[in-house]
PDB file of all heavy atoms in Angstrom:
ATOM      1  N   ALA A   1       1.419   6.321 -15.878  1.00  0.00           N
ATOM      2  CA  ALA A   1       2.654   7.087 -15.709  1.00  0.00           C
ATOM      3  C   ALA A   1       2.406   8.594 -15.773  1.00  0.00           C
ATOM      4  O   ALA A   1       2.889   9.351 -14.932  1.00  0.00           O
ATOM      5  CB  ALA A   1       3.680   6.677 -16.757  1.00  0.00           C
ATOM      6  N   GLY A   2       1.692   9.032 -16.786  1.00  0.00           N
ATOM      7  CA  GLY A   2       1.430  10.453 -16.946  1.00  0.00           C
ATOM      8  C   GLY A   2       2.649  11.255 -17.375  1.00  0.00           C
ATOM      9  O   GLY A   2       2.602  12.488 -17.456  1.00  0.00           O
ATOM     10  N   VAL A   3       3.747  10.574 -17.627  1.00  0.00           N
ATOM     11  CA  VAL A   3       4.988  11.193 -18.121  1.00  0.00           C
ATOM     12  C   VAL A   3       5.525  10.289 -19.228  1.00  0.00           C
ATOM     13  O   VAL A   3       5.077   9.144 -19.370  1.00  0.00           O
ATOM     14  CB  VAL A   3       6.039  11.340 -16.993  1.00  0.00           C
ATOM     15  CG1 VAL A   3       5.575  12.333 -15.944  1.00  0.00           C
ATOM     16  CG2 VAL A   3       6.359   9.985 -16.356  1.00  0.00           C
ATOM     17  N   PRO A   4       6.481  10.766 -20.031  1.00  0.00           N
ATOM     18  CA  PRO A   4       7.033   9.912 -21.094  1.00  0.00           C
ATOM     19  C   PRO A   4       7.562   8.582 -20.560  1.00  0.00           C
ATOM     20  O   PRO A   4       8.155   8.524 -19.481  1.00  0.00           O
ATOM     21  CB  PRO A   4       8.164  10.772 -21.672  1.00  0.00           C
ATOM     22  CG  PRO A   4       7.717  12.173 -21.418  1.00  0.00           C
ATOM     23  CD  PRO A   4       7.036  12.139 -20.081  1.00  0.00           C
ATOM     24  N   VAL A   5       7.330   7.518 -21.341  1.00  0.00           N
ATOM     25  CA  VAL A   5       7.719   6.163 -20.949  1.00  0.00           C
ATOM     26  C   VAL A   5       8.944   5.714 -21.736  1.00  0.00           C
ATOM     27  O   VAL A   5       8.969   5.810 -22.963  1.00  0.00           O
ATOM     28  CB  VAL A   5       6.557   5.172 -21.189  1.00  0.00           C
ATOM     29  CG1 VAL A   5       7.002   3.739 -20.909  1.00  0.00           C
ATOM     30  CG2 VAL A   5       5.357   5.534 -20.323  1.00  0.00           C
ATOM     31  N   ILE A   6       9.949   5.242 -21.020  1.00  0.00           N
ATOM     32  CA  ILE A   6      11.101   4.601 -21.643  1.00  0.00           C
ATOM     33  C   ILE A   6      10.821   3.098 -21.618  1.00  0.00           C
ATOM     34  O   ILE A   6      10.654   2.518 -20.543  1.00  0.00           O
ATOM     35  CB  ILE A   6      12.405   4.903 -20.876  1.00  0.00           C
ATOM     36  CG1 ILE A   6      12.686   6.406 -20.873  1.00  0.00           C
ATOM     37  CG2 ILE A   6      13.581   4.136 -21.486  1.00  0.00           C
ATOM     38  CD1 ILE A   6      13.839   6.814 -19.966  1.00  0.00           C
ATOM     39  N   ALA A   7      10.737   2.487 -22.779  1.00  0.00           N
ATOM     40  CA  ALA A   7      10.441   1.054 -22.853  1.00  0.00           C
ATOM     41  C   ALA A   7      11.730   0.255 -22.731  1.00  0.00           C
ATOM     42  O   ALA A   7      12.632   0.376 -23.562  1.00  0.00           O
ATOM     43  CB  ALA A   7       9.741   0.726 -24.167  1.00  0.00           C
ATOM     44  N   VAL A   8      11.816  -0.569 -21.690  1.00  0.00           N
ATOM     45  CA  VAL A   8      12.984  -1.414 -21.484  1.00  0.00           C
ATOM     46  C   VAL A   8      12.758  -2.730 -22.225  1.00  0.00           C
ATOM     47  O   VAL A   8      11.815  -3.462 -21.934  1.00  0.00           O
ATOM     48  CB  VAL A   8      13.225  -1.671 -19.991  1.00  0.00           C
ATOM     49  CG1 VAL A   8      14.470  -2.520 -19.792  1.00  0.00           C
ATOM     50  CG2 VAL A   8      13.345  -0.352 -19.234  1.00  0.00           C
ATOM     51  N   VAL A   9      13.605  -3.015 -23.194  1.00  0.00           N
ATOM     52  CA  VAL A   9      13.431  -4.219 -24.022  1.00  0.00           C
ATOM     53  C   VAL A   9      14.632  -5.160 -23.881  1.00  0.00           C
ATOM     54  O   VAL A   9      14.940  -5.932 -24.785  1.00  0.00           O
ATOM     55  CB  VAL A   9      13.192  -3.842 -25.508  1.00  0.00           C
ATOM     56  CG1 VAL A   9      11.850  -3.155 -25.666  1.00  0.00           C
ATOM     57  CG2 VAL A   9      14.316  -2.950 -26.050  1.00  0.00           C
ATOM     58  N   LYS A  10      15.286  -5.097 -22.743  1.00  0.00           N
ATOM     59  CA  LYS A  10      16.402  -6.013 -22.469  1.00  0.00           C
ATOM     60  C   LYS A  10      15.873  -7.440 -22.341  1.00  0.00           C
ATOM     61  O   LYS A  10      14.664  -7.671 -22.274  1.00  0.00           O
ATOM     62  CB  LYS A  10      17.104  -5.608 -21.172  1.00  0.00           C
ATOM     63  CG  LYS A  10      16.236  -5.730 -19.923  1.00  0.00           C
ATOM     64  CD  LYS A  10      16.974  -5.292 -18.673  1.00  0.00           C
ATOM     65  CE  LYS A  10      16.085  -5.443 -17.429  1.00  0.00           C
ATOM     66  NZ  LYS A  10      16.785  -5.045 -16.197  1.00  0.00           N
ATOM     67  N   GLY A  11      16.795  -8.405 -22.287  1.00  0.00           N
ATOM     68  CA  GLY A  11      16.374  -9.795 -22.113  1.00  0.00           C
ATOM     69  C   GLY A  11      15.463 -10.274 -23.229  1.00  0.00           C
ATOM     70  O   GLY A  11      14.425 -10.879 -22.985  1.00  0.00           O
ATOM     71  N   ASN A  12      15.884  -9.975 -24.495  1.00  0.00           N
ATOM     72  CA  ASN A  12      15.080 -10.362 -25.662  1.00  0.00           C
ATOM     73  C   ASN A  12      13.674  -9.788 -25.553  1.00  0.00           C
ATOM     74  O   ASN A  12      12.677 -10.472 -25.769  1.00  0.00           O
ATOM     75  CB  ASN A  12      15.015 -11.886 -25.809  1.00  0.00           C
ATOM     76  CG  ASN A  12      14.433 -12.318 -27.146  1.00  0.00           C
ATOM     77  OD1 ASN A  12      14.565 -11.623 -28.156  1.00  0.00           O
ATOM     78  ND2 ASN A  12      13.755 -13.469 -27.170  1.00  0.00           N
ATOM     79  N   GLY A  13      13.604  -8.494 -25.214  1.00  0.00           N
ATOM     80  CA  GLY A  13      12.304  -7.842 -25.100  1.00  0.00           C
ATOM     81  C   GLY A  13      11.476  -8.450 -23.982  1.00  0.00           C
ATOM     82  O   GLY A  13      10.294  -8.721 -24.160  1.00  0.00           O
ATOM     83  N   TYR A  14      12.126  -8.644 -22.805  1.00  0.00           N
ATOM     84  CA  TYR A  14      11.479  -9.316 -21.670  1.00  0.00           C
ATOM     85  C   TYR A  14      10.877 -10.656 -22.087  1.00  0.00           C
ATOM     86  O   TYR A  14       9.858 -11.095 -21.562  1.00  0.00           O
ATOM     87  CB  TYR A  14      10.427  -8.408 -21.019  1.00  0.00           C
ATOM     88  CG  TYR A  14      11.008  -7.597 -19.889  1.00  0.00           C
ATOM     89  CD1 TYR A  14      11.743  -6.443 -20.155  1.00  0.00           C
ATOM     90  CD2 TYR A  14      10.874  -7.990 -18.573  1.00  0.00           C
ATOM     91  CE1 TYR A  14      12.329  -5.707 -19.131  1.00  0.00           C
ATOM     92  CE2 TYR A  14      11.452  -7.262 -17.538  1.00  0.00           C
ATOM     93  CZ  TYR A  14      12.173  -6.125 -17.826  1.00  0.00           C
ATOM     94  OH  TYR A  14      12.754  -5.412 -16.797  1.00  0.00           O
ATOM     95  N   GLY A  15      11.548 -11.284 -23.052  1.00  0.00           N
ATOM     96  CA  GLY A  15      11.107 -12.598 -23.506  1.00  0.00           C
ATOM     97  C   GLY A  15      10.070 -12.568 -24.595  1.00  0.00           C
ATOM     98  O   GLY A  15       9.651 -13.618 -25.097  1.00  0.00           O
ATOM     99  N   PHE A  16       9.633 -11.376 -25.001  1.00  0.00           N
ATOM    100  CA  PHE A  16       8.596 -11.255 -26.028  1.00  0.00           C
ATOM    101  C   PHE A  16       9.163 -11.165 -27.440  1.00  0.00           C
ATOM    102  O   PHE A  16       8.417 -11.003 -28.395  1.00  0.00           O
ATOM    103  CB  PHE A  16       7.715 -10.030 -25.745  1.00  0.00           C
ATOM    104  CG  PHE A  16       6.565 -10.311 -24.804  1.00  0.00           C
ATOM    105  CD1 PHE A  16       6.622 -11.346 -23.887  1.00  0.00           C
ATOM    106  CD2 PHE A  16       5.414  -9.541 -24.846  1.00  0.00           C
ATOM    107  CE1 PHE A  16       5.573 -11.612 -23.027  1.00  0.00           C
ATOM    108  CE2 PHE A  16       4.345  -9.804 -23.982  1.00  0.00           C
ATOM    109  CZ  PHE A  16       4.433 -10.839 -23.074  1.00  0.00           C
ATOM    110  N   GLY A  17      10.482 -11.251 -27.577  1.00  0.00           N
ATOM    111  CA  GLY A  17      11.131 -11.115 -28.889  1.00  0.00           C
ATOM    112  C   GLY A  17      11.458  -9.645 -29.108  1.00  0.00           C
ATOM    113  O   GLY A  17      10.553  -8.845 -29.340  1.00  0.00           O
ATOM    114  N   ILE A  18      12.730  -9.290 -29.057  1.00  0.00           N
ATOM    115  CA  ILE A  18      13.104  -7.880 -29.028  1.00  0.00           C
ATOM    116  C   ILE A  18      12.637  -7.095 -30.253  1.00  0.00           C
ATOM    117  O   ILE A  18      12.158  -5.959 -30.141  1.00  0.00           O
ATOM    118  CB  ILE A  18      14.637  -7.727 -28.828  1.00  0.00           C
ATOM    119  CG1 ILE A  18      15.006  -6.261 -28.587  1.00  0.00           C
ATOM    120  CG2 ILE A  18      15.402  -8.320 -30.009  1.00  0.00           C
ATOM    121  CD1 ILE A  18      16.438  -6.069 -28.115  1.00  0.00           C
ATOM    122  N   LYS A  19      12.712  -7.694 -31.440  1.00  0.00           N
ATOM    123  CA  LYS A  19      12.313  -6.962 -32.644  1.00  0.00           C
ATOM    124  C   LYS A  19      10.806  -6.762 -32.703  1.00  0.00           C
ATOM    125  O   LYS A  19      10.316  -5.646 -32.936  1.00  0.00           O
ATOM    126  CB  LYS A  19      12.809  -7.696 -33.896  1.00  0.00           C
ATOM    127  CG  LYS A  19      14.310  -7.609 -34.116  1.00  0.00           C
ATOM    128  CD  LYS A  19      14.695  -8.213 -35.456  1.00  0.00           C
ATOM    129  CE  LYS A  19      16.178  -8.045 -35.731  1.00  0.00           C
ATOM    130  NZ  LYS A  19      16.568  -8.616 -37.046  1.00  0.00           N
ATOM    131  N   GLU A  20      10.046  -7.852 -32.511  1.00  0.00           N
ATOM    132  CA  GLU A  20       8.590  -7.757 -32.589  1.00  0.00           C
ATOM    133  C   GLU A  20       8.039  -6.847 -31.500  1.00  0.00           C
ATOM    134  O   GLU A  20       7.169  -6.010 -31.743  1.00  0.00           O
ATOM    135  CB  GLU A  20       7.962  -9.148 -32.464  1.00  0.00           C
ATOM    136  CG  GLU A  20       8.457 -10.170 -33.482  1.00  0.00           C
ATOM    137  CD  GLU A  20       9.620 -11.000 -32.961  1.00  0.00           C
ATOM    138  OE1 GLU A  20      10.455 -10.472 -32.206  1.00  0.00           O
ATOM    139  OE2 GLU A  20       9.693 -12.196 -33.319  1.00  0.00           O
ATOM    140  N   PHE A  21       8.559  -7.019 -30.285  1.00  0.00           N
ATOM    141  CA  PHE A  21       8.111  -6.238 -29.136  1.00  0.00           C
ATOM    142  C   PHE A  21       8.383  -4.750 -29.352  1.00  0.00           C
ATOM    143  O   PHE A  21       7.508  -3.897 -29.144  1.00  0.00           O
ATOM    144  CB  PHE A  21       8.861  -6.752 -27.905  1.00  0.00           C
ATOM    145  CG  PHE A  21       8.377  -6.215 -26.586  1.00  0.00           C
ATOM    146  CD1 PHE A  21       7.024  -6.051 -26.322  1.00  0.00           C
ATOM    147  CD2 PHE A  21       9.287  -5.891 -25.590  1.00  0.00           C
ATOM    148  CE1 PHE A  21       6.593  -5.573 -25.088  1.00  0.00           C
ATOM    149  CE2 PHE A  21       8.867  -5.422 -24.359  1.00  0.00           C
ATOM    150  CZ  PHE A  21       7.519  -5.255 -24.106  1.00  0.00           C
ATOM    151  N   THR A  22       9.602  -4.434 -29.808  1.00  0.00           N
ATOM    152  CA  THR A  22       9.982  -3.042 -30.044  1.00  0.00           C
ATOM    153  C   THR A  22       9.119  -2.405 -31.122  1.00  0.00           C
ATOM    154  O   THR A  22       8.692  -1.249 -30.993  1.00  0.00           O
ATOM    155  CB  THR A  22      11.473  -2.958 -30.435  1.00  0.00           C
ATOM    156  OG1 THR A  22      12.268  -3.444 -29.346  1.00  0.00           O
ATOM    157  CG2 THR A  22      11.879  -1.538 -30.761  1.00  0.00           C
ATOM    158  N   GLU A  23       8.863  -3.153 -32.179  1.00  0.00           N
ATOM    159  CA  GLU A  23       8.045  -2.626 -33.279  1.00  0.00           C
ATOM    160  C   GLU A  23       6.653  -2.236 -32.786  1.00  0.00           C
ATOM    161  O   GLU A  23       6.122  -1.166 -33.140  1.00  0.00           O
ATOM    162  CB  GLU A  23       7.925  -3.684 -34.378  1.00  0.00           C
ATOM    163  CG  GLU A  23       7.294  -3.175 -35.678  1.00  0.00           C
ATOM    164  CD  GLU A  23       8.224  -2.298 -36.491  1.00  0.00           C
ATOM    165  OE1 GLU A  23       9.343  -2.724 -36.810  1.00  0.00           O
ATOM    166  OE2 GLU A  23       7.806  -1.161 -36.790  1.00  0.00           O
ATOM    167  N   ILE A  24       6.047  -3.073 -31.961  1.00  0.00           N
ATOM    168  CA  ILE A  24       4.706  -2.786 -31.443  1.00  0.00           C
ATOM    169  C   ILE A  24       4.734  -1.581 -30.498  1.00  0.00           C
ATOM    170  O   ILE A  24       3.858  -0.711 -30.549  1.00  0.00           O
ATOM    171  CB  ILE A  24       4.130  -4.027 -30.738  1.00  0.00           C
ATOM    172  CG1 ILE A  24       3.863  -5.128 -31.770  1.00  0.00           C
ATOM    173  CG2 ILE A  24       2.845  -3.694 -29.976  1.00  0.00           C
ATOM    174  CD1 ILE A  24       3.502  -6.473 -31.178  1.00  0.00           C
ATOM    175  N   LEU A  25       5.747  -1.523 -29.637  1.00  0.00           N
ATOM    176  CA  LEU A  25       5.873  -0.377 -28.737  1.00  0.00           C
ATOM    177  C   LEU A  25       6.046   0.922 -29.516  1.00  0.00           C
ATOM    178  O   LEU A  25       5.428   1.951 -29.206  1.00  0.00           O
ATOM    179  CB  LEU A  25       7.064  -0.594 -27.798  1.00  0.00           C
ATOM    180  CG  LEU A  25       6.889  -1.674 -26.731  1.00  0.00           C
ATOM    181  CD1 LEU A  25       8.251  -2.068 -26.146  1.00  0.00           C
ATOM    182  CD2 LEU A  25       5.959  -1.197 -25.623  1.00  0.00           C
ATOM    183  N   LYS A  26       6.884   0.876 -30.534  1.00  0.00           N
ATOM    184  CA  LYS A  26       7.108   2.049 -31.374  1.00  0.00           C
ATOM    185  C   LYS A  26       5.811   2.492 -32.046  1.00  0.00           C
ATOM    186  O   LYS A  26       5.491   3.692 -32.064  1.00  0.00           O
ATOM    187  CB  LYS A  26       8.162   1.728 -32.432  1.00  0.00           C
ATOM    188  CG  LYS A  26       8.382   2.821 -33.464  1.00  0.00           C
ATOM    189  CD  LYS A  26       9.335   2.364 -34.554  1.00  0.00           C
ATOM    190  CE  LYS A  26       9.434   3.391 -35.671  1.00  0.00           C
ATOM    191  NZ  LYS A  26      10.319   2.914 -36.778  1.00  0.00           N
ATOM    192  N   ASN A  27       5.065   1.545 -32.572  1.00  0.00           N
ATOM    193  CA  ASN A  27       3.814   1.870 -33.254  1.00  0.00           C
ATOM    194  C   ASN A  27       2.738   2.376 -32.299  1.00  0.00           C
ATOM    195  O   ASN A  27       1.713   2.909 -32.739  1.00  0.00           O
ATOM    196  CB  ASN A  27       3.290   0.648 -34.006  1.00  0.00           C
ATOM    197  CG  ASN A  27       4.169   0.272 -35.188  1.00  0.00           C
ATOM    198  OD1 ASN A  27       4.936   1.098 -35.680  1.00  0.00           O
ATOM    199  ND2 ASN A  27       4.084  -0.967 -35.640  1.00  0.00           N
ATOM    200  N   ASN A  28       2.975   2.192 -31.001  1.00  0.00           N
ATOM    201  CA  ASN A  28       2.029   2.675 -30.008  1.00  0.00           C
ATOM    202  C   ASN A  28       2.558   3.896 -29.250  1.00  0.00           C
ATOM    203  O   ASN A  28       2.132   4.178 -28.126  1.00  0.00           O
ATOM    204  CB  ASN A  28       1.673   1.558 -29.032  1.00  0.00           C
ATOM    205  CG  ASN A  28       0.633   0.602 -29.591  1.00  0.00           C
ATOM    206  OD1 ASN A  28      -0.567   0.796 -29.417  1.00  0.00           O
ATOM    207  ND2 ASN A  28       1.089  -0.429 -30.295  1.00  0.00           N
ATOM    208  N   GLY A  29       3.449   4.621 -29.908  1.00  0.00           N
ATOM    209  CA  GLY A  29       3.838   5.935 -29.412  1.00  0.00           C
ATOM    210  C   GLY A  29       5.036   6.017 -28.501  1.00  0.00           C
ATOM    211  O   GLY A  29       5.360   7.100 -28.007  1.00  0.00           O
ATOM    212  N   ILE A  30       5.747   4.916 -28.259  1.00  0.00           N
ATOM    213  CA  ILE A  30       6.939   4.970 -27.416  1.00  0.00           C
ATOM    214  C   ILE A  30       8.099   5.548 -28.234  1.00  0.00           C
ATOM    215  O   ILE A  30       8.352   5.109 -29.358  1.00  0.00           O
ATOM    216  CB  ILE A  30       7.311   3.575 -26.874  1.00  0.00           C
ATOM    217  CG1 ILE A  30       6.141   2.981 -26.084  1.00  0.00           C
ATOM    218  CG2 ILE A  30       8.569   3.660 -26.013  1.00  0.00           C
ATOM    219  CD1 ILE A  30       5.741   3.746 -24.854  1.00  0.00           C
ATOM    220  N   LYS A  31       8.803   6.505 -27.630  1.00  0.00           N
ATOM    221  CA  LYS A  31       9.870   7.211 -28.351  1.00  0.00           C
ATOM    222  C   LYS A  31      11.283   6.849 -27.895  1.00  0.00           C
ATOM    223  O   LYS A  31      12.250   7.079 -28.619  1.00  0.00           O
ATOM    224  CB  LYS A  31       9.678   8.722 -28.179  1.00  0.00           C
ATOM    225  CG  LYS A  31       8.338   9.258 -28.643  1.00  0.00           C
ATOM    226  CD  LYS A  31       8.168   9.137 -30.137  1.00  0.00           C
ATOM    227  CE  LYS A  31       6.861   9.791 -30.597  1.00  0.00           C
ATOM    228  NZ  LYS A  31       6.647   9.588 -32.064  1.00  0.00           N
ATOM    229  N   THR A  32      11.399   6.295 -26.687  1.00  0.00           N
ATOM    230  CA  THR A  32      12.725   5.980 -26.150  1.00  0.00           C
ATOM    231  C   THR A  32      12.752   4.534 -25.670  1.00  0.00           C
ATOM    232  O   THR A  32      11.800   4.071 -25.031  1.00  0.00           O
ATOM    233  CB  THR A  32      13.080   6.908 -24.978  1.00  0.00           C
ATOM    234  OG1 THR A  32      12.975   8.274 -25.405  1.00  0.00           O
ATOM    235  CG2 THR A  32      14.499   6.652 -24.496  1.00  0.00           C
ATOM    236  N   PHE A  33      13.836   3.843 -25.977  1.00  0.00           N
ATOM    237  CA  PHE A  33      13.983   2.429 -25.634  1.00  0.00           C
ATOM    238  C   PHE A  33      15.281   2.224 -24.856  1.00  0.00           C
ATOM    239  O   PHE A  33      16.217   3.022 -24.972  1.00  0.00           O
ATOM    240  CB  PHE A  33      13.965   1.572 -26.891  1.00  0.00           C
ATOM    241  CG  PHE A  33      12.655   1.655 -27.633  1.00  0.00           C
ATOM    242  CD1 PHE A  33      12.377   2.734 -28.463  1.00  0.00           C
ATOM    243  CD2 PHE A  33      11.690   0.672 -27.475  1.00  0.00           C
ATOM    244  CE1 PHE A  33      11.156   2.834 -29.126  1.00  0.00           C
ATOM    245  CE2 PHE A  33      10.466   0.768 -28.135  1.00  0.00           C
ATOM    246  CZ  PHE A  33      10.209   1.844 -28.953  1.00  0.00           C
ATOM    247  N   ALA A  34      15.323   1.157 -24.075  1.00  0.00           N
ATOM    248  CA  ALA A  34      16.507   0.909 -23.248  1.00  0.00           C
ATOM    249  C   ALA A  34      16.879  -0.564 -23.249  1.00  0.00           C
ATOM    250  O   ALA A  34      16.000  -1.436 -23.229  1.00  0.00           O
ATOM    251  CB  ALA A  34      16.263   1.382 -21.815  1.00  0.00           C
ATOM    252  N   VAL A  35      18.189  -0.815 -23.281  1.00  0.00           N
ATOM    253  CA  VAL A  35      18.727  -2.178 -23.197  1.00  0.00           C
ATOM    254  C   VAL A  35      19.932  -2.155 -22.257  1.00  0.00           C
ATOM    255  O   VAL A  35      20.433  -1.087 -21.898  1.00  0.00           O
ATOM    256  CB  VAL A  35      19.157  -2.722 -24.576  1.00  0.00           C
ATOM    257  CG1 VAL A  35      17.950  -2.957 -25.468  1.00  0.00           C
ATOM    258  CG2 VAL A  35      20.153  -1.766 -25.250  1.00  0.00           C
ATOM    259  N   THR A  36      20.390  -3.326 -21.880  1.00  0.00           N
ATOM    260  CA  THR A  36      21.601  -3.412 -21.057  1.00  0.00           C
ATOM    261  C   THR A  36      22.788  -3.964 -21.842  1.00  0.00           C
ATOM    262  O   THR A  36      23.935  -3.697 -21.487  1.00  0.00           O
ATOM    263  CB  THR A  36      21.361  -4.313 -19.828  1.00  0.00           C
ATOM    264  OG1 THR A  36      20.884  -5.589 -20.264  1.00  0.00           O
ATOM    265  CG2 THR A  36      20.341  -3.686 -18.889  1.00  0.00           C
ATOM    266  N   GLU A  37      22.518  -4.728 -22.896  1.00  0.00           N
ATOM    267  CA  GLU A  37      23.586  -5.371 -23.662  1.00  0.00           C
ATOM    268  C   GLU A  37      23.868  -4.603 -24.952  1.00  0.00           C
ATOM    269  O   GLU A  37      22.941  -4.316 -25.723  1.00  0.00           O
ATOM    270  CB  GLU A  37      23.207  -6.814 -24.000  1.00  0.00           C
ATOM    271  CG  GLU A  37      22.945  -7.689 -22.783  1.00  0.00           C
ATOM    272  CD  GLU A  37      24.148  -7.811 -21.874  1.00  0.00           C
ATOM    273  OE1 GLU A  37      25.272  -7.925 -22.411  1.00  0.00           O
ATOM    274  OE2 GLU A  37      23.974  -7.781 -20.645  1.00  0.00           O
ATOM    275  N   VAL A  38      25.127  -4.316 -25.209  1.00  0.00           N
ATOM    276  CA  VAL A  38      25.466  -3.592 -26.434  1.00  0.00           C
ATOM    277  C   VAL A  38      25.164  -4.435 -27.671  1.00  0.00           C
ATOM    278  O   VAL A  38      24.965  -3.902 -28.766  1.00  0.00           O
ATOM    279  CB  VAL A  38      26.946  -3.137 -26.427  1.00  0.00           C
ATOM    280  CG1 VAL A  38      27.194  -2.124 -25.338  1.00  0.00           C
ATOM    281  CG2 VAL A  38      27.886  -4.328 -26.277  1.00  0.00           C
ATOM    282  N   ASP A  39      25.131  -5.762 -27.524  1.00  0.00           N
ATOM    283  CA  ASP A  39      24.823  -6.633 -28.663  1.00  0.00           C
ATOM    284  C   ASP A  39      23.395  -6.412 -29.183  1.00  0.00           C
ATOM    285  O   ASP A  39      23.093  -6.775 -30.324  1.00  0.00           O
ATOM    286  CB  ASP A  39      24.978  -8.109 -28.262  1.00  0.00           C
ATOM    287  CG  ASP A  39      26.428  -8.495 -28.033  1.00  0.00           C
ATOM    288  OD1 ASP A  39      27.312  -7.733 -28.486  1.00  0.00           O
ATOM    289  OD2 ASP A  39      26.679  -9.529 -27.404  1.00  0.00           O
ATOM    290  N   ASP A  40      22.526  -5.848 -28.363  1.00  0.00           N
ATOM    291  CA  ASP A  40      21.144  -5.603 -28.787  1.00  0.00           C
ATOM    292  C   ASP A  40      21.007  -4.360 -29.659  1.00  0.00           C
ATOM    293  O   ASP A  40      19.982  -4.177 -30.332  1.00  0.00           O
ATOM    294  CB  ASP A  40      20.229  -5.439 -27.565  1.00  0.00           C
ATOM    295  CG  ASP A  40      20.017  -6.743 -26.817  1.00  0.00           C
ATOM    296  OD1 ASP A  40      20.126  -7.808 -27.447  1.00  0.00           O
ATOM    297  OD2 ASP A  40      19.733  -6.690 -25.605  1.00  0.00           O
ATOM    298  N   ILE A  41      22.003  -3.505 -29.648  1.00  0.00           N
ATOM    299  CA  ILE A  41      21.896  -2.215 -30.330  1.00  0.00           C
ATOM    300  C   ILE A  41      21.662  -2.371 -31.830  1.00  0.00           C
ATOM    301  O   ILE A  41      20.808  -1.700 -32.413  1.00  0.00           O
ATOM    302  CB  ILE A  41      23.151  -1.363 -30.066  1.00  0.00           C
ATOM    303  CG1 ILE A  41      23.222  -0.985 -28.590  1.00  0.00           C
ATOM    304  CG2 ILE A  41      23.142  -0.109 -30.936  1.00  0.00           C
ATOM    305  CD1 ILE A  41      24.520  -0.277 -28.192  1.00  0.00           C
ATOM    306  N   SER A  42      22.399  -3.267 -32.477  1.00  0.00           N
ATOM    307  CA  SER A  42      22.275  -3.417 -33.930  1.00  0.00           C
ATOM    308  C   SER A  42      20.874  -3.868 -34.321  1.00  0.00           C
ATOM    309  O   SER A  42      20.323  -3.413 -35.332  1.00  0.00           O
ATOM    310  CB  SER A  42      23.318  -4.403 -34.462  1.00  0.00           C
ATOM    311  OG  SER A  42      23.158  -5.684 -33.871  1.00  0.00           O
ATOM    312  N   GLN A  43      20.277  -4.768 -33.524  1.00  0.00           N
ATOM    313  CA  GLN A  43      18.914  -5.218 -33.810  1.00  0.00           C
ATOM    314  C   GLN A  43      17.921  -4.077 -33.682  1.00  0.00           C
ATOM    315  O   GLN A  43      17.008  -3.935 -34.501  1.00  0.00           O
ATOM    316  CB  GLN A  43      18.513  -6.340 -32.855  1.00  0.00           C
ATOM    317  CG  GLN A  43      19.321  -7.609 -32.978  1.00  0.00           C
ATOM    318  CD  GLN A  43      18.771  -8.704 -32.094  1.00  0.00           C
ATOM    319  OE1 GLN A  43      17.727  -9.292 -32.379  1.00  0.00           O
ATOM    320  NE2 GLN A  43      19.468  -8.992 -31.004  1.00  0.00           N
ATOM    321  N   LEU A  44      18.104  -3.254 -32.658  1.00  0.00           N
ATOM    322  CA  LEU A  44      17.187  -2.138 -32.459  1.00  0.00           C
ATOM    323  C   LEU A  44      17.322  -1.090 -33.554  1.00  0.00           C
ATOM    324  O   LEU A  44      16.313  -0.521 -34.004  1.00  0.00           O
ATOM    325  CB  LEU A  44      17.436  -1.493 -31.094  1.00  0.00           C
ATOM    326  CG  LEU A  44      16.987  -2.280 -29.866  1.00  0.00           C
ATOM    327  CD1 LEU A  44      17.237  -1.474 -28.605  1.00  0.00           C
ATOM    328  CD2 LEU A  44      15.514  -2.659 -29.964  1.00  0.00           C
TER     329      LEU A  44
END
């Protein structure tokens, strides 16, 4: 990419489990996350 990455974690983290997937992305330097469902916000 060479530019900041927005990690899309919709669909239960693309099926990888939204919490576990997000935690790993965060620990690897991702600063912005995206979802489509408002129900996912509380978990994030």
Side-chain angles (χ1 to χ4, degrees):
V3 294
V5 175
I6 299 171
V8 182
V9 292
K10 64 181 181 179
N12 191 30
Y14 268 80
F16 273 25
I18 189 169
K19 288 187 176 181
E20 304 93 325
F21 189 40
T22 298
E23 190 74 55
I24 292 171
L25 289 164
K26 174 186 173 183
N27 292 340
N28 280 270
I30 302 297
K31 303 294 185 184
T32 305
F33 297 80
V35 292
T36 55
E37 301 299 320
V38 295
D39 290 343
D40 289 334
I41 294 173
S42 60
Q43 296 186 74
L44 288 183

